[in-house]
Amino acid sequence: EAGVTQFPSHSVIEKGQTVTLRCDPISGHDNLYWYRRVMGKEIKFLLHFVKESKQDESGMPNNRFLAERTGGTYSTLKVQPAELEDSGVYFCASSHPPAGIYGYTFGSGTRLTVV
Amino acid sequence: AQTVTQSQPEMSVQEAETVTLSCTYDTSENNYYLFWYKQPPSRQMILVIRQEAYKQQNATENRFSVNFQKAAKSFSLKISDSQLGDTAMYFCAFYGGSQGNLIFGKGTKLSVKP
């Protein structure tokens, strides 16, 4: 079974530019999560999809962040315009119902650097 | 709201020795799940071990075991016979209650020295 795939693995962009991160979850996993880790801090929840619907987006920092999950398959996370404080590692994870009681399967993350 | 605290930012251990990583959490829930994840330098987050709160028996996976103290809200990870490949960030995580997603601690950076 293929794991959770994220790309790009690294992205360096200038402040004010737009970046789109992509996540392909494990096939059949209805639950898809986005998390972010800023250097030295905890891994913070951003949002949770169940199929194509946003179940919880309480962790999204502001309206510069837009997540979509077309057709309940892959998901994208767009940051527009990027700011310096958006730098960090963005993780995607997926799980099969029931949600997280067996933990999530994570991707390798996208390291975003805003300069 | 639930919180997870890892009080050891960094630890080191000699190869073949045993090390214990600490984790405490705060919750008013009675039924929940606890996890330890490992993130090696390659960055892939890997599930190490899982504990169900309603089970009194401590979970064990090969060289990895936990000491789950429900009353104290403590969930430490013991790594026996440490190997160089155990070098990684270790994150403690909580799942349960009204929060429908995993909550992580800040992590402990473990270095295994030859």
Side-chain angles (χ1 to χ4, degrees):
Chain A
E1 154 180 279
V4 176
T5 305
Q6 291 186 248
F7 49 93
S9 57
H10 292 84
S11 181
V12 180
I13 62 171
E14 293 185 351
K15 177 182 171 182
Q17 288 187 322
T18 297
V19 63
T20 300
L21 314 181
R22 173 166 169 152
C23 169
D24 286 73
I26 291 173
S27 178
H29 280 193
D30 290 342
N31 295 286
L32 187 149
Y33 307 84
W34 283 97
Y35 282 81
R36 176 175 73 173
R37 182 171 190 241
V38 174
M39 183 63 71
K41 304 205 172 180
E42 66 266 32
I43 300 170
K44 286 242 181 185
F45 167 78
L46 296 178
L47 89 159
H48 170 203
F49 283 100
V50 177
K51 296 185 180 179
E52 66 275 10
S53 300
K54 291 176 185 174
Q55 181 76 13
D56 180 358
E57 52 184 332
S58 61
M60 295 288 263
N62 51 60
N63 59 9
R64 295 185 295 102
F65 289 74
L66 175 65
E68 295 180 326
R69 190 180 182 191
T70 307
T73 54
Y74 70 91
S75 175
T76 57
L77 179 65
K78 183 164 72 173
V79 185
Q80 178 184 30
E83 298 289 345
L84 298 178
E85 64 264 25
D86 300 332
S87 296
V89 180
Y90 290 77
F91 291 101
C92 176
S94 71
S95 72
H96 192 67
I101 69 172
Y102 296 105
Y104 305 160
T105 302
F106 281 85
S108 295
T110 295
R111 182 178 296 279
L112 175 64
T113 304
V114 183
V115 297
Chain B
Q2 291 86 2
T3 59
V4 177
T5 302
Q6 293 180 249
S7 58
Q8 305 150 316
E10 290 192 45
M11 293 190 72
S12 65
V13 63
Q14 290 297 129
E15 196 175 7
E17 292 188 346
T18 295
V19 63
T20 298
L21 309 184
S22 301
C23 173
T24 58
Y25 58 93
D26 188 24
T27 184
S28 58
E29 299 294 327
N30 191 49
N31 193 26
Y32 48 88
Y33 303 83
L34 296 162
F35 306 87
W36 278 97
Y37 277 87
K38 168 185 176 181
Q39 186 189 20
S42 64
R43 243 176 39 219
Q44 177 88 48
M45 291 265 285
I46 302 164
L47 178 63
V48 174
I49 201 163
R50 168 183 178 268
Q51 176 79 42
E52 299 169 6
Y54 61 86
K55 287 189 176 179
Q56 291 186 334
Q57 186 173 5
N58 289 324
T60 299
E61 289 288 341
N62 300 314
R63 299 182 294 107
F64 297 87
S65 61
V66 299
N67 183 5
F68 174 48
Q69 301 288 328
K70 191 172 184 178
K73 296 179 182 175
S74 171
F75 182 60
S76 60
L77 174 70
K78 185 171 84 170
I79 306 173
S80 304
D81 185 25
S82 297
Q83 299 176 1
L84 296 178
D86 295 333
T87 292
M89 284 290 296
Y90 286 81
F91 294 95
C92 179
F94 172 100
Y95 180 84
S98 59
Q99 195 106 20
N101 55 79
L102 280 178
I103 301 167
F104 287 89
K106 288 187 177 183
T108 297
K109 183 177 180 181
L110 176 67
S111 299
V112 180
K113 300 184 184 305

